[in-house]
Amino acid sequence: DQQVKQNSPSLSVQEGRISILNCDYTNSMFDYFLWYKKYPAEGPTFLISISSIKDKNEDGRFTVFLNKSAKHLSLHIVPSQPGDSAVYFCAASGGSQGNLIFGKGTKLSVKP
Amino acid sequence: EAGVAQSPRYKIIEKRQSVAFWCNPISGHATLYWYQQILGQGPKLLIQFQNNGVVDDSQLPKDRFSAERLKGVDSTLKIQPAKLEDSAVYLCASSVSSGRYEQYFGPGTRLTVT
């Protein structure tokens, strides 16, 4: 039973355009959400997070939107750059211990 | 600041053999995590340590997997005996403490069981 779902295994975007990566969750107890980025042969690196008390968080070219009623969050990258090509994981947490539940990831390809 | 170190980077073993992975977290980080990432899946938490105590090992297959974090610093994860389905990347992560703190991941150990 997947509690965090990333339904698009891959996404291809032209350089300079917007990339939108989507994530859905099922557990109402989740109150903290994160996006991680992973390059081949490296561990995931933290990108951006959002608490359930907010509906938007912005950091440079990266913005995460949270729609609690729909149990949906999205990551917007504007403008997309070839160096953004990586696998993006959505993760959620609902406990005080900080345990993360990850989605399966979306592979983003940004074409020059 | 040095990142999370893991070794070995790659390991190939036959089924029923044993294997051990080592992790050195970022200095001063109290919380250490071991994740299993099977190809095409996201990382799945196996065990979480706070200092040298276990916080959560609910998803650790305890009949074959064991982990320890002596002195609250380095950690080892062992599989004995290995099965074909244990083929995965084993990721170690650390954070300042439990809770809403950024987790820093190591490069992982890719295990292939033949």
Side-chain angles (χ1 to χ4, degrees):
Chain A
D1 179 30
Q2 266 195 289
Q3 298 187 68
V4 177
K5 300 177 185 179
Q6 293 178 258
N7 292 320
S8 298
S10 63
L11 176 67
S12 182
V13 172
Q14 208 63 34
E15 180 179 6
R17 306 294 291 268
I18 184 172
S19 295
I20 300 176
L21 294 94
N22 294 303
C23 177
D24 297 295
Y25 61 96
T26 58
N27 192 333
S28 302
M29 299 302 291
F30 290 148
D31 61 358
Y32 188 55
F33 305 88
L34 308 90
W35 285 93
Y36 277 81
K37 175 180 177 180
K38 186 180 183 306
Y39 292 118
E42 294 183 12
T45 55
F46 170 76
L47 196 56
I48 193 169
S49 64
I50 187 167
S51 165
S52 60
I53 62 173
K54 293 185 172 182
D55 54 18
K56 177 183 174 181
N57 189 26
E58 205 169 342
D59 184 3
R61 296 186 298 114
F62 303 91
T63 303
V64 57
F65 295 92
L66 175 62
N67 182 333
K68 288 188 293 293
S69 61
K71 294 192 178 67
H72 176 84
L73 63 155
S74 60
L75 174 68
H76 292 211
I77 307 173
V78 184
S80 301
Q81 300 173 354
D84 296 330
S85 297
V87 177
Y88 289 77
F89 290 98
C90 171
S93 173
S96 60
Q97 297 163 359
N99 294 357
L100 297 180
I101 308 296
F102 284 85
K104 290 186 176 182
T106 295
K107 183 176 182 179
L108 174 65
S109 299
V110 181
K111 300 186 184 305
Chain B
E1 178 182 81
V4 177
Q6 291 188 246
S7 69
R9 292 296 310 275
Y10 304 92
K11 189 75 177 178
I12 301 174
I13 62 172
E14 295 182 352
K15 60 183 178 183
R16 292 188 289 274
Q17 287 187 324
S18 62
V19 64
F21 313 125
W22 173 82
C23 173
N24 181 235
I26 292 173
S27 178
H29 280 194
T31 309
L32 185 147
Y33 310 80
W34 282 103
Y35 288 87
Q36 179 192 58
Q37 185 179 11
I38 293 172
L39 186 65
Q41 306 285 322
K44 183 184 84 170
L45 180 69
L46 292 175
I47 189 167
Q48 177 185 349
F49 292 94
Q50 178 73 14
N51 296 310
N52 60 353
V54 175
V55 173
D56 184 355
D57 64 356
S58 58
Q59 298 199 84
L60 187 73
K62 298 181 187 62
D63 57 335
R64 298 184 301 107
F65 285 64
S66 64
E68 60 182 9
R69 191 184 184 197
L70 300 176
K71 301 180 182 178
V73 181
D74 293 6
S75 177
T76 56
L77 176 70
K78 296 179 182 178
I79 308 175
Q80 181 179 11
K83 292 185 175 182
L84 295 177
E85 58 260 36
D86 298 331
S87 294
V89 175
Y90 290 85
L91 294 161
C92 179
S94 70
S95 62
V96 170
S97 187
S98 296
R100 294 184 182 182
Y101 295 97
E102 180 181 342
Q103 294 185 24
Y104 294 82
F105 284 81
T109 297
R110 180 176 294 278
L111 173 68
T112 301
V113 182
T114 63

